[in-house]
Amino acid sequence: MKRPLYPFVVAGLAGLALIASALDGARDAAPVTAAPAPVSPAPAPLARDTAPEPTPAPRPSPLSEAPAAARGDDGEPGEFTTTTDRVKAEIFKTEPELARFDSFREHVLLDANGREDYEALLADTRMYERLRGALSTSTEAEQTLESSFKRLMQIDYLREALAWRQNPARARLVSTVERIILEDSFTAELSPDARRSMAATRMELFEVFADQEPERAGALVEAAKGTPLEKLVRHFAARNQRRLVKERELGVQAQARRGVTP
């Protein structure tokens, strides 16, 4: 018996419709390809020895640092102890009298008790004898910053003791200074540096002595005649005389600028 053709025709038409629909969907979904853009050739890699150096970060200015990073005299952050303070601290370990003297000098105004203690120190004859031994010679082959500071402080002590006219031990003090200046202790074993330091010490003491005791200082020149120190003491006196003349000239000039008749 023959089958009717209708079901097959309908099925074929439905298949064709599905195929056409699929083709249309594929055409719509296909991406549109643009014309390819020209591609530049890749740059050749730089040679190793021509590679650019990295740019260093800018260094901050020292003025822009925070206050906490400020450096003190010795270079350590936040430390403000000076070189003078450190040298004094080393000297004072073995020189308690100089430590007391420096402490008194640091106080501008002393009370009654402080003044009494200070005057007792300036009149200490044992101190005079120690300084005579220390300033008359030198045991160091080379002068150091510490030894130079110590000598300056010792001279300052003698200057202050001489400037105190009421010093009860003044006669002993004057004799001590004269002995330091006139003592022949420039031995052959001393280094040139030590000899220069000793000569400079005596020259400064002579100026201090001439300011306080001009007649006694003049007598030292006579006392040095015929000794190995004659030429040196005469040089001290001549230099001190030039200093006094220069100071008088500067004083006259200063008065003239102020319109004061000398």
Side-chain angles (χ1 to χ4, degrees):
M1 186 172 81
K2 296 181 180 180
R3 291 185 177 181
L5 296 177
Y6 178 75
F8 296 102
V9 174
V10 173
L13 293 175
L16 290 173
L18 290 173
I19 293 172
S21 175
L23 290 174
D24 291 339
R27 188 180 299 112
D28 294 339
V32 177
T33 304
V39 179
S40 301
L46 295 174
R48 182 180 300 274
D49 58 350
T50 61
E53 294 292 333
T55 303
R59 295 173 61 86
S61 170
L63 297 178
S64 64
E65 294 181 355
R71 296 186 179 275
D73 182 73
D74 62 351
E76 295 298 327
E79 181 59 59
F80 295 100
T81 302
T82 66
T83 300
T84 301
D85 292 335
R86 292 196 298 273
V87 173
K88 283 183 178 181
E90 290 300 315
I91 295 173
F92 295 160
K93 290 178 181 179
T94 57
E95 297 286 345
E97 291 83 3
L98 288 181
R100 291 180 58 213
F101 173 68
D102 185 72
S103 177
F104 285 126
R105 292 287 299 277
E106 290 293 330
H107 294 80
V108 179
L109 298 176
L110 295 173
D111 58 19
N113 292 333
R115 186 66 194 179
E116 182 178 350
D117 292 341
Y118 185 39
E119 291 175 350
L121 178 63
L122 295 179
D124 187 353
T125 56
R126 294 170 302 176
M127 183 72 166
Y128 300 165
E129 190 61 24
R130 282 195 295 271
L131 294 190
R132 187 192 65 78
L135 296 176
S136 295
T137 187
S138 176
T139 58
E140 298 183 359
E142 295 184 1
Q143 296 299 301
T144 64
L145 185 61
E146 182 177 326
S147 64
S148 298
F149 262 80
K150 183 188 295 187
R151 282 182 174 263
L152 289 174
M153 294 183 69
Q154 290 168 339
I155 294 171
D156 279 344
Y157 169 86
L158 294 175
R159 178 185 289 107
E160 289 296 308
L162 281 170
W164 179 33
R165 306 298 299 186
Q166 292 77 32
N167 189 339
R170 185 174 183 82
R172 178 74 174 273
L173 174 63
V174 168
S175 175
T176 299
V177 174
E178 289 175 333
R179 290 179 63 188
I180 294 173
I181 295 173
L182 293 177
E183 187 165 349
D184 182 14
S185 55
F186 290 87
T187 60
E189 295 79 19
L190 291 173
S191 67
D193 191 32
R195 294 170 70 89
R196 284 192 294 269
S197 175
M198 288 169 52
T201 295
R202 298 179 191 212
M203 181 176 66
E204 184 146 358
L205 277 178
F206 186 92
E207 292 183 0
V208 171
F209 196 55
D211 286 341
Q212 298 296 328
E213 297 286 343
E215 293 183 1
R216 298 285 295 262
L220 288 180
V221 179
E222 294 297 321
K225 284 184 177 181
T227 72
L229 298 182
E230 177 181 357
K231 185 177 179 180
L232 188 63
V233 176
R234 287 175 58 189
H235 171 71
F236 294 163
R239 184 180 184 277
N240 186 66
Q241 186 62 33
R242 290 194 299 269
R243 177 181 68 89
L244 295 176
V245 170
K246 187 63 175 179
E247 288 178 354
R248 283 195 293 268
E249 290 176 354
L250 293 176
V252 170
Q253 293 173 8
Q255 290 177 347
R257 285 193 297 268
R258 295 195 302 267
V260 178
T261 303

